[in-house]
Amino acid sequence: AFLTQHLATVRADLPSTHAGSPERRTVLSRQVRAELELLRIQPTTKLAAQEAFLRGELTSTTVDLSEIDYLSLAEYLLHAAQSSGRVELAEMALEVVYRPYSRIQDSGARWRYNRIVNDTIAALADANFKAGRHADMLYYLSLNKSRLLLEERLALSSRGRRTDSLATVAAADGIPRTEAGLPRKDWFRQQLAAIPAFLDFYLSSRAEAVSPASPPTKAVNTSSGQLLTRDFGLEETAQAGVSFVDSALYVTRVEAGRVVSAQRVARAELEGLRQQSEALYEDLSRPGRRTAPALPRLFADLRDQVKGSGNIVVSTDKWLAKLPLDVMLGRPTTRAVNAFMVARPNPLDTLETLKVAGFFNPTGDLPGAEREADAITRVLPTARTLRREAATAAALATARDANVVHLSMHGSFDARDPRNSKLFFAGAGKACAGRPADCLDPAALHARDMAENPALQRKDLVFAAACQTGLSGTSTANDAELLGILRPLTAAGNRNVILSLW
């Protein structure tokens, strides 16, 4: 009753202000706050102040922030967008929340913004899909993938945890951005126009309340610093009272620089698709398999659609990244982290542009690695190759000025904690002989330390020709994105990564 009376009083104040005046903006901002407070306890509240945004009387930058804070303003605009179906209100909500979010240095404070940023992007993706604006939809899906990669780069930087923000990390990616820190849409359209064949998979997630009786949403890897789905892994989602749950799968196909198809798999169908996909994965992994795999309908249709294509660049998401897409699509694929980062070909004019540093056979029992080193030095005599006992983890520092790093050695994947997956440099294996698989070997290089190693940052190519480097695993918590050696090498900004399975 108090809020209803207060809102009536605020609305009665409006006629005493002049259009375009600071006083009018202040009273309108007060009305926005009053409507939001009432909406929180009375969901049928009419959000009349949204018309001020649609008329241009209020904008994301002219709201009086002494009347309402950023988070509350973004929440209001998101509710208004969902009730009215006006996409521009959701776009305003994203601008409002992204400006402070991208500049916050404290990860705990950024978590409060993360939830509404994610939910706003989910709303924008859904609205643009329904309206048939599939290029705009792909922009927002790529934005969230890009944002989470930036969060991981920030989390994996010990310096970044203290002084950097998302904006300072983003400054190095070369993407032109708006004042709010969002990638410019005109730049994205130019990027899209240059992509020949691209397939994007995106699992949209929404924050849902966690029952106090529910088990914690992070059963493992709670202190790993890894991204766990739409939570960027630095806070306990159980403590925050929410869990991120997959709500839809978007599949977008680009041919010759334009979006030619887009589909949305609803939440009710997702679990069945996941079960079918995992069954196919297990079938393909079975020794002696002779029959052709039975594809889930989604992938059977996609296989028909891309039949005439050559190599396709694919961007996956979460558990989909584990699937053998070359087999499922019937043609070779190259992975990219998102549509923003589809690398254009960068041909090498001469071999002199290659600065190769290689580390071969550090354990002394891999004659094939020796032959790799010989083959590389025949083609490129200037390549620096360290073999056997000289190929130590400490010697990796000599690769800082190389643009190609070749690692030919034993590798090991730890399914229980993928961050303990490792490469066996010289001396590795001895300290952990007879000990559990998760033993942290002082002579090995573990996945948990790769992103912060200067020798494995921003290279043109990192080639890990070692067993199990291409394997990935998921945390059981919150349907986490895949974890393993690929994650830190991607987060470290390397342009191309080649990994192996066996």
Side-chain angles (χ1 to χ4, degrees), residues 351-362 369 372-374 376-377 380-387 390-409 423 425 445 453-457 459-465 494:
L351 288 179
E352 285 70 32
T353 59
L354 280 171
K355 295 180 180 178
V356 176
F359 300 80
F360 302 88
N361 193 21
E372 281 183 26
D374 293 340
I376 289 173
T377 53
L380 194 71
T382 57
R384 297 197 306 272
T385 60
L386 293 177
R387 310 188 191 200
T392 64
L396 192 57
T398 62
R400 287 192 183 198
D401 63 340
N403 62 355
V404 175
V405 177
H406 188 104
L407 307 167
S408 186
M409 58 191 64
L423 293 171
F425 282 82
L445 179 64
N453 193 309
L456 297 175
Q457 295 177 357
K459 303 300 183 186
D460 286 328
L461 171 64
V462 175
F463 192 164
N494 296 297

Side-chain angles (χ1 to χ4, degrees), residues 335-479:
R335 303 290 179 102
V337 289
N338 54 59
F340 292 169
M341 298 294 178
V342 177
R344 290 181 174 85
N346 183 28
L348 299 164
D349 296 325
T350 64
L351 288 179
E352 285 70 32
T353 59
L354 280 171
K355 295 180 180 178
V356 176
F359 300 80
F360 302 88
N361 193 21
T363 52
D365 59 346
L366 294 172
E370 299 277 354
R371 291 194 293 274
E372 281 183 26
D374 293 340
I376 289 173
T377 53
R378 278 198 302 271
V379 176
L380 194 71
T382 57
R384 297 197 306 272
T385 60
L386 293 177
R387 310 188 191 200
R388 296 177 288 282
E389 63 274 5
T392 64
L396 192 57
T398 62
R400 287 192 183 198
D401 63 340
N403 62 355
V404 175
V405 177
H406 188 104
L407 307 167
S408 186
M409 58 191 64
H410 285 297
S412 174
F413 176 72
D414 186 337
R416 288 180 295 180
D417 186 349
R419 281 171 48 84
N420 292 337
S421 302
K422 56 193 173 187
L423 293 171
F424 288 74
F425 282 82
K430 298 174 183 177
C432 289
R435 299 180 64 186
D438 60 357
C439 169
L440 295 181
D441 191 331
L445 179 64
H446 295 85
R448 64 175 63 247
D449 301 318
M450 288 181 184
E452 295 184 80
N453 193 309
L456 297 175
Q457 295 177 357
R458 300 194 175 280
K459 303 300 183 186
D460 286 328
L461 171 64
V462 175
F463 192 164
C467 291
Q468 301 186 343
T469 50
L471 294 181
S472 294
T474 55
S475 158
T476 58
N478 234 2
D479 277 346

